Amino acid sequence: EVQLVESGGGSVQAGGSLKLSCVASGPTAIMGWFRQALGKEREGVAGIRPDGAKEYAESVKGRFTISKDNTMNTLSLQMNSLKPEDTAVYYCAADSRPWYGALLRQTYTYWGQGIQVTVSS
């Protein structure tokens, strides 16, 4: 079993930046970031497929950048130009199997505990 530990959340004003990090306890084939706002379903934000390709939700394209350090088993999400609608609990997700649906919840077996990101206007 792979354990995921997130860090880097917090509060920021609109237009600001935050960087989230996630450390995995073992090797992973696919990793991604999801978020869940109050009263809404969990949605895929960004993911890195086994072939290294990156996928982004339309709402974050051009503002968020996902990256992975395979030597350190670390996934990062650089979030720029943050908006109040980005406020949510952000979750790191991973799986050891080479699935390709990087933004689909059903792709992932392992989940982090979640970290709060709050953007004020």
Side-chain angles (χ1 to χ4, degrees), residues 24-91:
S25 63
T28 58
I30 184 170
M31 296 188 76
W33 288 98
F34 286 71
R35 68 186 180 187
Q36 187 165 16
L38 198 61
K40 295 188 177 181
E41 291 192 359
R42 193 173 299 187
E43 63 175 358
V45 174
I48 297 182
R49 300 189 327 217
D51 61 1
K54 300 175 183 179
E55 295 185 26
Y56 294 94
E58 286 295 327
S59 60
V60 307
K61 279 184 180 178
R63 301 188 298 122
F64 291 10
T65 303
I66 191 171
S67 60
K68 185 181 180 188
D69 183 338
N70 289 315
T71 60
M72 300 294 290
N73 284 340
T74 300
L75 183 74
S76 298
L77 185 69
Q78 178 65 47
M79 305 184 293
N80 298 328
S81 302
L82 282 161
K83 304 176 181 180
E85 52 263 44
D86 294 317
T87 295
V89 176
Y90 283 70
Y91 296 89

Side-chain angles (χ1 to χ4, degrees), residues 19 21 52 71 74 89 93 97 110 115 118:
K19 184 175 182 179
S21 295
T71 60
T74 300
V89 176
R97 297 163 294 179
Y110 308 113
I115 192 164
T118 302

